[in-house]
Amino acid sequence: MPQYLLLPAPSANRVYADGASAMVRAELTALGAALGGRIGPVEPESVAGVEYLAFHIDEPERGDLAFLALTSAFYALFEREGNLLRPVEAPSAERYPSDLKTILKYQGKTNEQFTRLLLNVTAAATARPERLLDGALRVLDPVCGRGTTLSQAAMYGLDAVGVDLDAKDFELYSSFLTTWLKDHRLKHRASTTPVRRDKAVLAKKFEAVFAPDKAAYAAGDTRSVTFYLADTLRTAELIRPGTVDVVVADLPYGVQHGSRGPRGLVRSPLELLDGALPGWASTLRSGGAVGLAWNDRVAPRAQVAEALESAGLTVRGGPGYDELRHRVDRSITRDVIVAVKG
Ligand SMILES: C[S@@+](CC[C@H](N)C(=O)[O-])C[C@H]1O[C@@H](n2cnc3c(N)ncnc32)[C@H](O)[C@@H]1O
């Protein structure tokens, strides 16, 4: 059975400090579960003073390598041959220039590498994780801020939809994405329109439809990014039930951003979750998954799990999924929880 060594990008140390190796290991373990049990335990291993993550794969297939290359901190992959490491080319899942994720910089942005991790581990828990690679998953971020998740999903060639009630975030992301599509000469159409219900305006909707090249655009092989300026408590009024595969949300940390729940602005995201989760869950197809990241200093994991279960979802535990808690700074310890819709 061949043994592989994955070299994580040095940037993981900047994102997770001392926790980098544990986070990459947990992500790889969660992604590996999508390989149908053919990946063995992932263990850190030092070779000539460089830290790798080592694992075996039983009868590896080309698609497996594409899954490994999804890892948010992926840098390079090697196969061990005796005392030597042979470089293995793993196909990249990213279909657009990476500045789509990196140009926008602002306070409160969810780190890009972490956003990719959250999307990966949530998609890996769905009934059809391979759809992460074939562009057939639809992703919702119901508290999308300035669109880090939307851009990551677009990079993977997935359809993405976001909701946020911050008008500045809406304006900045919609104008950024439109300019980015123009600058990269990508064939597209983009518009902002009001969404009305019973003669009242429910939301403002930005939608961009695009393709990596003209031929794909002409053939209708397009993807879309949609952003609703609205309260996420109204998600079920904006997005049809059973049309989303993955919901990912980096919840307000209660430090700079509060959660706007049914009773106004509060530090803990629990009230927001109680009000919003039934709507978020209704958008999911069966076999879909929700992944939440939050500051566990303002909301204990058991209560977040309870909110997910109350919305009819089943929390996914086990290797990888129970090991994603990490320190961000003095006031934030971030945890991740994933739950699936039966
Ligand atoms: C941690 S930030 C998300 C940042 C985002 N991932 C990014 O990289 O830009 C949390 C977001 O939740 C939004 N939010 C809080 N309460 C909300 C509500 N009731 N409806 C919609 N958005 C809400 C805030 O406006 C903020 O943008």
Side-chain angles (χ1 to χ4, degrees):
M1 203 189 296
Q3 190 190 28
Y4 292 94
L5 282 93
L6 185 143
L7 179 64
S11 56
N13 293 318
R14 210 174 49 238
V15 181
Y16 306 115
D18 294 346
S21 172
M23 286 297 282
V24 182
R25 180 177 172 216
E27 180 188 9
L28 201 49
T29 303
L31 274 172
L35 268 51
R38 289 177 297 112
I39 185 168
V42 178
E43 299 296 347
E45 184 171 332
S46 177
V47 179
V50 177
E51 291 295 322
Y52 295 81
L53 289 157
F55 49 90
H56 289 91
I57 301 183
D58 194 13
E59 296 183 18
E61 297 158 11
R62 189 165 165 78
D64 297 347
L65 300 182
F67 248 106
L68 301 178
L70 286 175
T71 312
S72 57
F74 183 87
Y75 196 46
L77 184 69
F78 300 89
E79 186 176 341
R80 192 191 285 274
E81 284 181 2
N83 281 337
L84 301 177
L85 298 185
R86 186 176 62 81
V88 177
E89 196 176 336
S92 167
E94 301 210 313
R95 301 182 186 193
Y96 295 96
S98 63
D99 60 353
L100 174 57
K101 295 187 298 183
T102 53
I103 290 178
L104 277 180
K105 297 204 184 334
Y106 49 94
Q107 217 176 19
K109 176 173 181 171
T110 309
N111 174 275
E112 298 123 29
Q113 205 173 97
F114 176 72
T115 299
R116 179 164 165 169
L117 178 149
L118 182 60
L119 179 55
N120 284 343
V121 299
T122 310
T126 62
R128 306 242 336 255
E130 67 284 0
R131 294 175 76 184
L132 192 50
L133 295 171
D134 66 20
L137 286 184
R138 187 168 186 235
V139 176
L140 163 66
D141 182 342
V143 285
C144 67
R146 283 180 212 174
T148 315
T149 306
L150 308 184
S151 293
Q152 179 59 61
M155 289 285 289
Y156 278 168
L158 308 175
D159 282 328
V161 51
V163 181
D164 205 290
L165 47 55
D166 188 316
K168 198 167 164 203
D169 286 355
F170 178 86
E171 298 305 335
L172 282 166
Y173 186 71
S174 51
S175 73
F176 159 72
L177 185 59
T178 310
T179 308
W180 184 87
L181 288 164
K182 281 184 194 152
D183 286 352
H184 287 277
R185 299 176 180 280
L186 291 163
K187 192 97 173 109
H188 68 280
R189 55 184 185 273
S191 60
T192 298
T193 49
V195 180
R196 296 182 208 279
R197 284 284 174 287
D198 304 324
K199 293 184 186 156
V201 175
L202 176 62
K204 233 162 132 179
K205 175 184 182 182
F206 166 77
E207 184 172 54
V209 177
F210 50 91
D213 54 62
K214 279 184 184 159
Y217 189 87
D221 184 11
T222 53
R223 295 291 179 274
S224 64
V225 168
T226 308
F227 188 150
Y228 291 101
L229 173 61
D231 192 318
T232 197
L233 295 169
R234 307 197 70 174
T235 298
E237 295 168 71
L238 298 165
I239 300 167
R240 276 192 290 123
T243 57
V244 166
D245 302 280
V246 172
V247 175
V248 282
D250 184 28
L251 300 171
Y253 287 87
V255 180
Q256 268 154 17
H257 286 117
S259 298
R260 191 158 288 283
R263 288 189 300 135
L265 202 61
V266 289
R267 275 193 86 206
S268 162
L270 286 168
E271 227 181 85
L272 174 68
L273 280 182
D274 283 341
L277 262 173
W280 299 352
S282 77
T283 68
L284 277 180
R285 285 185 235 280
S286 94
V290 177
L292 305 176
W294 80 101
N295 179 8
D296 82 354
R297 297 196 184 189
V298 294
R301 185 177 178 93
Q303 287 185 31
V304 176
E306 212 176 290
L308 287 161
E309 300 271 351
S310 306
L313 304 165
T314 307
V315 172
R316 172 81 186 253
Y321 288 94
D322 291 333
E323 297 150 4
L324 290 162
R325 185 171 183 266
H326 60 283
R327 184 179 186 276
V328 176
D329 60 31
R330 280 178 59 212
S331 51
I332 299 173
T333 303
R334 188 161 52 190
D335 203 353
V336 171
I337 196 164
V338 174
V340 294
K341 184 166 174 173

Coordinates of all heavy atoms in Angstrom, one line a residue, residues 106 108-110 141-148 164-166 169 230-232 250-253 257-260 272, ligand 1:
Y106 N -9.9 43.3 4.8 CA -10.7 44.1 5.7 C -10.7 43.5 7.1 O -10.5 42.3 7.3 CB -12.1 44.3 5.2 CG -12.8 43.0 4.8 CD1 -13.6 42.4 5.7 CD2 -12.5 42.5 3.5 CE1 -14.2 41.2 5.3 CE2 -13.1 41.3 3.2 CZ -13.9 40.6 4.1 OH -14.5 39.4 3.7
G108 N -12.3 41.8 10.1 CA -13.5 41.0 10.2 C -13.6 39.9 9.1 O -14.5 39.1 9.1
K109 N -12.6 40.0 8.2 CA -12.6 39.0 7.1 C -12.2 37.6 7.7 O -11.3 37.5 8.6 CB -11.5 39.3 6.1 CG -11.4 38.3 5.0 CD -10.4 38.8 3.9 CE -10.3 37.8 2.8 NZ -9.6 38.3 1.6
T110 N -12.9 36.6 7.3 CA -12.5 35.2 7.7 C -11.3 34.8 6.9 O -11.4 35.0 5.7 CB -13.7 34.3 7.5 OG1 -14.9 34.8 8.1 CG2 -13.4 32.9 8.1
D141 N -23.7 30.7 2.2 CA -23.1 31.3 3.4 C -24.2 32.3 3.9 O -24.3 33.4 3.3 CB -21.8 32.0 3.1 CG -21.2 32.5 4.4 OD1 -21.9 32.7 5.4 OD2 -20.0 32.8 4.4
P142 N -24.9 32.0 4.9 CA -26.0 32.9 5.3 C -25.6 34.1 6.2 O -26.4 34.9 6.6 CB -26.9 31.9 6.2 CG -25.9 30.9 6.7 CD -24.8 30.8 5.7
V143 N -24.3 34.2 6.5 CA -23.7 35.4 7.1 C -22.4 35.7 6.4 O -21.3 35.7 6.9 CB -23.5 35.2 8.6 CG1 -24.8 35.3 9.4 CG2 -22.8 33.9 8.9
C144 N -22.5 36.1 5.1 CA -21.4 36.0 4.2 C -20.4 37.2 4.2 O -19.4 37.1 3.6 CB -21.9 35.8 2.7 SG -22.8 37.2 2.1
G145 N -20.7 38.2 5.0 CA -19.8 39.4 5.1 C -19.4 39.9 3.7 O -20.3 40.1 2.8
R146 N -18.1 40.0 3.4 CA -17.7 40.5 2.1 C -17.3 39.3 1.2 O -16.4 39.4 0.4 CB -16.6 41.5 2.2 CG -17.2 42.8 2.6 CD -16.1 43.9 2.8 NE -16.6 44.8 3.8 CZ -15.9 45.8 4.3 NH1 -14.7 46.1 3.8 NH2 -16.4 46.6 5.2
G147 N -18.0 38.1 1.4 CA -18.0 37.1 0.4 C -16.8 36.2 0.3 O -16.6 35.6 -0.7
T148 N -16.0 36.0 1.4 CA -14.9 35.1 1.3 C -15.3 33.6 0.9 O -14.7 33.0 0.0 CB -14.1 35.0 2.6 OG1 -13.9 36.3 3.1 CG2 -12.7 34.4 2.5
D164 N -26.3 38.7 3.9 CA -25.8 39.5 5.0 C -26.6 40.7 5.1 O -27.1 41.2 4.1 CB -24.3 39.8 4.8 CG -23.6 40.1 6.1 OD1 -23.9 41.1 6.8 OD2 -22.8 39.2 6.6
L165 N -26.7 41.3 6.3 CA -27.5 42.5 6.4 C -26.7 43.8 6.4 O -27.2 44.8 6.6 CB -28.4 42.4 7.6 CG -27.9 42.0 9.0 CD1 -26.8 42.8 9.5 CD2 -29.1 42.0 10.0
D166 N -25.4 43.6 6.2 CA -24.5 44.8 6.2 C -24.5 45.4 4.8 O -23.9 44.8 3.9 CB -23.1 44.4 6.7 CG -22.2 45.6 6.9 OD1 -22.2 46.5 6.0 OD2 -21.5 45.6 7.9
D169 N -21.0 45.8 3.2 CA -20.5 44.5 2.7 C -21.1 44.2 1.3 O -20.4 43.8 0.4 CB -20.8 43.4 3.7 CG -19.9 43.4 4.9 OD1 -19.0 44.3 5.0 OD2 -20.2 42.6 5.8
A230 N -30.0 41.2 3.2 CA -31.2 40.9 4.0 C -30.8 40.3 5.3 O -29.7 39.9 5.5 CB -32.0 39.8 3.2
D231 N -31.8 40.2 6.2 CA -31.6 39.6 7.5 C -31.6 38.1 7.3 O -32.5 37.6 6.6 CB -32.7 40.0 8.4 CG -32.4 39.6 9.9 OD1 -31.9 38.5 10.1 OD2 -32.7 40.4 10.8
T232 N -30.7 37.4 7.8 CA -30.6 36.0 7.6 C -31.8 35.2 8.2 O -32.0 34.0 7.8 CB -29.2 35.4 8.1 OG1 -29.0 34.1 7.5 CG2 -29.2 35.3 9.6
D250 N -19.4 31.4 9.1 CA -18.4 31.8 10.2 C -19.2 32.9 11.0 O -19.4 34.0 10.6 CB -17.2 32.5 9.5 CG -16.2 32.8 10.6 OD1 -16.1 32.2 11.6 OD2 -15.4 33.8 10.3
L251 N -19.7 32.4 12.1 CA -20.7 33.2 12.9 C -20.0 34.4 13.6 O -18.8 34.4 13.8 CB -21.3 32.3 14.0 CG -22.1 31.1 13.4 CD1 -22.5 30.2 14.6 CD2 -23.3 31.6 12.7
P252 N -20.8 35.5 13.8 CA -20.2 36.7 14.5 C -19.5 36.2 15.8 O -20.1 35.4 16.5 CB -21.4 37.6 14.7 CG -22.4 37.1 13.7 CD -22.2 35.6 13.6
Y253 N -18.3 36.8 16.0 CA -17.5 36.4 17.2 C -17.9 37.0 18.5 O -17.3 36.7 19.5 CB -16.0 36.6 16.9 CG -15.5 35.7 15.8 CD1 -15.6 35.9 14.5 CD2 -15.0 34.4 16.3 CE1 -15.2 35.0 13.6 CE2 -14.6 33.5 15.4 CZ -14.7 33.8 14.0 OH -14.4 32.8 13.1
H257 N -18.0 41.9 15.7 CA -19.3 41.8 15.2 C -20.2 41.1 16.2 O -19.8 40.1 16.8 CB -19.3 40.8 14.0 CG -18.7 41.4 12.7 ND1 -17.6 41.0 12.1 CD2 -19.2 42.5 12.0 CE1 -17.3 41.7 11.1 NE2 -18.3 42.6 11.0
G258 N -21.4 41.6 16.4 CA -22.4 40.9 17.2 C -23.3 40.1 16.3 O -23.2 40.2 15.1
S259 N -24.2 39.3 16.9 CA -25.2 38.6 16.1 C -26.5 39.3 16.2 O -26.9 39.6 17.3 CB -25.4 37.2 16.7 OG -24.2 36.5 16.6
R260 N -27.1 39.6 15.0 CA -28.4 40.3 15.1 C -29.4 39.2 15.1 O -29.8 38.7 14.0 CB -28.5 41.3 13.9 CG -29.7 42.2 14.1 CD -29.6 43.5 13.3 NE -28.6 44.4 13.8 CZ -28.8 45.2 14.8 NH1 -29.9 45.2 15.5 NH2 -27.8 46.0 15.2
L272 N -29.2 33.9 17.5 CA -29.3 34.0 16.0 C -29.5 32.6 15.4 O -30.3 32.4 14.6 CB -28.0 34.6 15.4 CG -27.8 34.6 13.9 CD1 -28.8 35.6 13.3 CD2 -26.4 35.0 13.5
Ligands
LIG1 C1 -17.7 36.8 11.2 S1 -18.5 37.8 10.1 C2 -18.4 36.8 8.6 C3 -17.3 37.3 7.7 C4 -17.2 36.7 6.4 N1 -17.0 35.2 6.4 C5 -16.1 37.3 5.6 O1 -15.0 36.8 5.4 O2 -16.3 38.5 5.1 C6 -20.2 37.6 10.5 C7 -21.2 38.3 9.7 O3 -22.5 38.1 10.2 C8 -23.4 39.2 9.8 N2 -24.6 39.1 10.6 C9 -24.9 39.2 11.9 N3 -26.2 39.1 12.2 C10 -26.8 38.9 11.0 C11 -28.2 38.7 10.6 N4 -29.2 38.7 11.4 N5 -28.5 38.6 9.2 C12 -27.5 38.6 8.3 N6 -26.2 38.8 8.6 C13 -25.8 38.9 10.0 C14 -22.5 40.4 10.1 O4 -22.9 41.5 9.3 C15 -21.1 39.8 9.6 O5 -20.8 40.2 8.3

